[in-house]
Amino acid sequence: KAYLQAMLAYYIKDADFNKRIAVEQELRDLRKARTYDYLLGQDFPASSITKPKDQIAEAEQLYNDGMNLYEKGRILLVPGGFDKEQMRLAREKFDTLIKQYPTSNRVAEAFYYAAEIIKEYLRTGFNDDKMACEYYKRAYEADKNLPLPAHSRRAQLLDYRLHSRDEALEEYRNVLKFE
């Protein structure tokens, strides 16, 4: 945004009308775009989620709300259809739980279902696959006894979408060990 504003100031000063109009349009479009706070890297160090054990009422409520939205979003009368807005809202609930209550006993499941939503319902490209992969990893790091197939889902993503065969093979071995 700062670069676009600097370009706009330059084109106004330089009196380049066509380029100024183009930059103004980009700035308008940028204001319309919704940005998401992705929980990767330094935003959420692994050590802060490795031992979630606290039963927190607010986290439980976020989890239940997220699951209700997830279930509503999956059910449409059209084969293969889903409600994108419900899925987006469910993802926001899970991300809020992860960010605000990292010691909750629901954080592993929140990572798992957020990954499912990213992978299956809100996927727009390669970076979403990488993000879903990271969320699955965080899910089983948060709870070694997670009763959901995070290892196998991550292995499939690594194998079929990200084409990272070596990592996928290691993850398939983890499937045999942990699932």
Side-chain angles (χ1 to χ4, degrees), residues 9 28 41 48 85 91-92 127 137 141 162 168-169 176 179:
R28 274 193 300 277
S48 68
E85 182 62 15
R91 161 99 191 280
E92 285 180 5
N127 286 333
K137 182 178 179 184
E141 284 176 347
L162 298 175
L169 184 60
L176 295 174
E179 289 183 7

Side-chain angles (χ1 to χ4, degrees), residues 9 17 19 59-60 63 70 87 100 108 119 133 145 149 160 176:
F17 182 74
K19 289 183 179 178
E60 195 70 30
Y63 177 77
Y70 178 76
M87 289 301 182
Q100 292 181 1
K119 178 179 78 101
C133 219
N145 299 317
Y160 297 111
L176 295 174

